[in-house]
Amino acid sequence: MSKFKVLIRKDFAIAKKTLFQPMWITAGLYALILLSMGIAGIKGDFPKLMLSNFQNLDIPRQGISYLAGYTVLGFAGILSLIFTIMITQSSLNEDLRLNFELFHRTQPVTVWQRTLSKFSVGVLGNWFIMILIGIFNFIISSGILIYFHGYSFGYGFIGFLQSVLVYLKFGILLGSIAFFCSAIFRDKAFFKGLAILAGLNLLFLIVNFWFGWNLPMPLEYFKDLFHVEIFPGDTSLLGDITDISNVNAFILDRWKALFFNWQVLLQMVVSAILFVGGVFIYNRKEVK
């Protein structure tokens, strides 16, 4: 077995309790939904509730399938981002906390292998759990639409795939920020980093007000990194969803927004710089 695989298994064993929490939260949510449906069924409200939601939908199956596929990942995706931050903001300090740091530093593996393993577990591990939850949600929503309205698997899968890639991109960006902060701070690293950024933003705001300068606001640059919304705020291109050409144009526009622009390149370059910077800081920290 390769050294990197051993590192992945070790870091997964440390983080697995946190990694699986989104699955338990989702299971609890489904249990509450089933309970409410059972109560509605006993009271006789369930059939009327379901029919009222679907009978009046005058939307082609392609449009509603795409929207269902795109939005079905929402809750799992948000959980994935939250837990990505939770794991990566402490990833470079877990071995210190467990008193294993000196042991791992004396092993015949490079610092790049050790840190990449931690980063991969924090980002890709959460992404994998998110996809598992998303596939389950996708199957449930597809079954509901097939039964009540009609369904196009191709359009639903495209929507689901675009949503997965959006969350992956955000996970890499947020994970690299939290990873970099973990090289500087020992506890609550991501939030301490945000606090410093907010403090600098306030300082620049005061200086600009006092001296009439026009210093750029750090938080504005931070916000601009997240240019593509998880779900687009401007859906004007979608137009009349009953027209399939509008749906196709909207899908094409989302592909362009997700990949084929300089903003995406900037996000990946910033993520790489933060990862490399975090590794250099971590490697030069004194182990006590």
Side-chain angles (χ1 to χ4, degrees):
M1 184 179 293
S2 70
K3 296 175 183 178
F4 188 70
K5 287 183 179 179
V6 173
L7 289 171
I8 288 285
R9 292 182 63 179
K10 184 267 294 183
D11 290 320
F12 174 77
I14 293 174
K16 67 178 181 180
K17 184 176 180 180
T18 304
L19 278 174
F20 286 118
Q21 284 185 23
M23 298 187 73
W24 306 130
I25 293 173
T26 304
L29 180 63
Y30 268 108
L32 290 175
I33 292 173
L34 290 174
L35 178 62
S36 64
M37 290 171 63
I39 294 173
I42 293 172
K43 295 176 63 177
D45 297 331
F46 178 67
K48 292 186 290 183
L49 174 66
M50 295 299 292
L51 289 175
S52 65
N53 286 336
F54 287 96
Q55 273 183 338
N56 299 322
L57 282 177
D58 186 23
I59 302 176
R61 58 188 177 86
Q62 292 90 346
I64 197 170
S65 298
Y66 171 78
L67 290 176
Y70 197 99
T71 57
V72 76
L73 200 62
F75 184 67
I78 296 297
L79 285 178
S80 172
L81 295 181
I82 292 172
F83 282 92
T84 294
I85 292 173
M86 288 177 61
I87 292 176
T88 52
Q89 73 169 349
S90 61
S91 58
L92 296 180
N93 296 300
E94 280 299 300
D95 289 338
L96 280 171
R97 185 179 64 82
L98 297 172
N99 295 319
F100 291 156
E101 183 68 19
L102 281 174
F103 171 77
H104 290 302
R105 289 203 179 204
T106 57
Q107 299 305 301
V109 291
T110 67
V111 66
W112 297 102
Q113 288 177 311
R114 287 190 285 116
T115 52
L116 183 59
S117 171
K118 297 173 186 295
F119 185 81
S120 299
V121 168
V123 176
L124 299 183
N126 274 291
W127 191 55
F128 180 74
I129 297 296
M130 177 195 69
I131 290 178
L132 289 180
I133 298 173
I135 290 173
F136 182 78
N137 291 345
F138 183 78
I139 293 171
I140 296 296
S141 65
S142 299
I144 292 173
L145 285 176
I146 289 171
Y147 184 80
F148 286 101
H149 184 76
Y151 187 70
S152 172
F153 176 82
Y155 280 85
F157 181 75
I158 289 173
F160 179 74
L161 180 61
Q162 286 187 347
S163 183
V164 166
L165 294 174
V166 168
Y167 283 106
L168 173 62
K169 186 172 67 171
F170 275 86
I172 292 174
L173 188 55
L174 283 172
S176 63
I177 293 170
F179 180 87
F180 178 80
C181 292
S182 74
I184 302 173
F185 306 105
R186 185 161 184 171
D187 301 308
K188 300 183 177 72
F190 181 78
F191 301 101
K192 288 179 179 178
L194 278 184
I196 289 177
L197 191 64
L200 287 173
N201 200 79
L202 179 61
L203 176 62
F204 283 22
L205 189 64
I206 293 172
V207 169
N208 286 344
F209 177 76
W210 279 352
F211 302 107
W213 295 353
N214 192 28
L215 296 175
M217 296 293 103
L219 282 178
E220 286 298 319
Y221 285 104
F222 186 79
K223 185 183 72 173
D224 288 344
L225 282 174
F226 299 88
H227 178 68
V228 178
E229 306 95 335
I230 290 176
F231 191 82
D234 180 15
T235 57
S236 59
L237 183 61
L238 190 56
D240 182 6
I241 198 173
T242 60
D243 186 347
I244 190 62
S245 63
N246 288 333
V247 177
N248 291 334
F250 185 77
I251 291 172
L252 179 61
D253 182 71
R254 289 302 291 167
W255 282 125
K256 293 178 180 177
L258 289 174
F259 292 105
F260 305 111
N261 58 74
W262 289 106
Q263 181 70 21
V264 177
L265 179 61
L266 175 63
Q267 290 170 332
M268 295 302 102
V269 168
V270 169
S271 298
I273 291 173
L274 289 172
F275 174 79
V276 172
V279 173
F280 274 105
I281 295 172
Y282 163 75
N283 196 38
R284 283 157 177 75
K285 288 175 69 175
E286 181 181 354
V287 181
K288 298 180 181 180

